[in-house]
Every structure is written in C-alpha cells, then in structure tokens.
Amino acid sequence: MSYTLHRGDALTVLKTLPDESVNAVITDPPYNSGGRTSSDRTGRTARAKYVTAGSAHDLQNFPGENRDQRSYRSWLTALLTEAYRAATEHSVAMVFSDWRQEPTTSDALQMAGWTWSGTIPWIKPASRPRKGGFKQSAEFIVWGVKGSLEKDRDLYLPGHFIASQPRKDRVHITQKPVEIMQQLVQICPEGGTVLDPFTGSGSTGVAALREGRQFVGVELSSHYADVANERLLQAAQQHLTREDFVLAGPEE
C-alpha cells in the first residue's frame, strides 16, 4: 500500500486533489473548543487546552486552535466541501469532535453536502473526572455519506468504541488509538484511498496502510509532518510483499 503526505495548509491542498479521487475521509481537525471570549481563543495554546498541568510529557504544540464558533463552522464547511468534491459516490466522511463542537461539526458536514448519518461515541476509560458532576469520558465522531452507503458490501462496524488515549510511545497531544482507527478505515473499500486533511502524527494513515488501503494526508506543522512521515514509512515497509518491489542484479 502507498501513501502521499502533503506538507501545507489543508484547504489549499484539498483544492488541488482531483474529483472523485478518494474513497473515505477520516480526520481529527483542531476542535477550537472551550473558549468563551476572544482572549480565551487567542491566549491559550493547544497544549494549554489539552494537556493537564504538570504532565510529564513535553509534546509539541500544534496550530489552528484560535477560531471562534462562526469562523470555525465556515472554515470546516469549506474543507468538507472540497473533501466532498474529491470523494467518490458512496464515500463516508468521519470527523472527530468534542461535545462542545459536535453541533457545529454536524452543521458543517451537512452544509458541505454530506448526508449526516450519525454520531459515534468514543469512550475513554482513562479520562478527566469532574468534581460534583459527570466524568468527561467521551469524544465523538460525526459521520456522513456522499449519496448513500454501498449496499453490496458485507460490512458491519460497531456504533461505539472504547479505548484510552495512547500512553506508551505517544507522540501527539491529541493522538488517537490506532486500534480504533484500524476499525474506522474499514469503511473505505479494500484497496481504496483514505484522506485525512489533518494528519497529525499519522495514526489514520498507519491504520489505513495496515488494513490494505492507500492514504493521502495533509499536515501543516513541519514537526508533526516529520513524525507522521516516519510512522507511515515504517507502516508501509512492514506490509510490503514480494509483489511490491523488484530486486535488481546482479548485473551480467
């Protein structure tokens, strides 16, 4: 299986993709969540928002976390519109979100042309408690279809997932578990292409390659593009077969 990793702005790169060139869109955009005022949005980094104070790890920050609610919806709609154009009929789009941004995310998905088909909970057992209230133990995957689901596929996927964020060998602040991503990428037909406009550390791409899918990713951060490329290269090399390469020589 092969992959292409673009280094740059997601919307700019998506506009260059050919029509109907991908078979699924699975992505985890910056949530831009939690800021009630302009200063909240612009005065806190992604690391300050998503990493507990005193955390032992020193993972790099990432850009794109300072949009207000209206600009976030407009921006995400534009992205998902380009993804819709680049997707084949029956393609599925899956967009991660938290509880604050789930309504806006479902709005953007539908405004871009996708038929909203549900919201899948991702339950995280190791998550932050809330004193005096309910534990914040879930994120959500808003999903929709271009046209209708492919009825001829013998495919049945779960309606929720349970897994904690990676702790061992974690390389990104908001890194998703590969074991979940390997189930999600199965929505893409085998041998098809999965698109992730916010590649981060490359977990979607690693899962796609492991499950026999092609991968196209986009990452703005130079640091995380390097991390993703290394992980993708390792995943691709681990799944090579004799048909994937030719040995040259010895010359006669």
Side-chain angles (χ1 to χ4, degrees):
M1 293 294 100
S2 65
Y3 73 88
T4 302
L5 179 60
H6 299 273
R7 298 175 185 238
D9 173 70
L11 185 55
T12 301
V13 173
L14 287 184
K15 289 179 178 179
T16 70
L17 298 183
D19 293 354
E20 300 186 352
S21 59
V22 302
N23 308 104
V25 182
I26 304 174
T27 195
D28 180 24
Y31 290 172
N32 288 271
S33 182
R36 294 183 176 85
T37 67
S38 177
S39 60
D40 284 340
R41 297 278 183 185
T42 59
R44 300 171 66 206
T45 65
R47 179 177 172 82
K49 289 172 69 173
Y50 298 123
V51 178
T52 304
S55 177
H57 67 70
D58 188 28
L59 298 175
Q60 290 260 347
N61 192 45
F62 60 86
E65 271 288 330
N66 59 351
R67 293 178 178 86
D68 63 21
Q69 192 79 5
R70 293 177 67 186
S71 61
Y72 179 73
R73 187 178 73 167
S74 176
W75 170 77
L76 188 58
T77 300
L79 281 159
L80 293 175
T81 298
E82 288 298 331
Y84 185 89
R85 176 193 57 76
T88 58
E89 189 76 6
H90 309 303
S91 291
V92 168
M94 311 185 79
V95 186
F96 280 83
S97 177
D98 70 356
W99 63 271
R100 296 182 185 91
Q101 295 291 58
E102 191 271 340
T104 296
T105 302
S106 63
D107 285 349
L109 188 77
Q110 295 174 89
M111 291 166 72
W114 301 90
T115 301
W116 183 27
S117 301
T119 300
I120 303 166
W122 165 32
I123 310 300
K124 301 178 289 184
S127 53
R128 297 181 187 180
R130 176 182 283 178
K131 187 175 182 180
F134 297 100
K135 187 178 185 181
Q136 292 182 284
S137 60
E139 292 183 38
F140 304 94
I141 307 164
V142 177
W143 72 283
V145 186
K146 182 172 181 176
S148 61
L149 288 174
E150 180 58 68
K151 297 295 192 286
D152 294 334
R153 294 187 68 195
D154 188 22
L155 178 70
Y156 299 91
L157 295 172
H160 72 279
F161 299 92
I162 302 175
S164 294
Q165 272 192 305
R167 293 184 178 273
K168 182 181 179 182
D169 300 325
R170 184 174 172 185
V171 292
H172 194 282
I173 295 172
T174 63
Q175 187 171 335
K176 300 299 184 282
V178 173
E179 60 266 29
I180 286 182
M181 304 312 297
Q182 284 188 234
Q183 294 183 74
L184 296 184
V185 299
Q186 292 175 36
I187 201 69
C188 175
E190 190 168 354
T193 300
V194 176
L195 168 66
D196 184 355
F198 302 96
T199 297
S201 62
S203 296
T204 303
V206 169
L209 296 176
R210 288 182 180 179
E211 293 296 323
R213 277 72 175 168
Q214 314 287 338
F215 178 69
V216 175
V218 187
E219 178 51 44
L220 180 60
S221 163
S222 295
H223 169 77
Y224 283 120
D226 288 339
V227 171
N229 190 55
E230 182 63 29
R231 294 182 73 206
L232 290 166
L233 185 60
Q234 290 177 6
Q237 290 173 339
Q238 288 170 0
H239 290 79
L240 291 177
T241 66
R242 292 187 64 85
E243 288 73 30
D244 292 317
F245 60 90
V246 175
L247 297 177
E251 301 298 333
E252 297 182 359

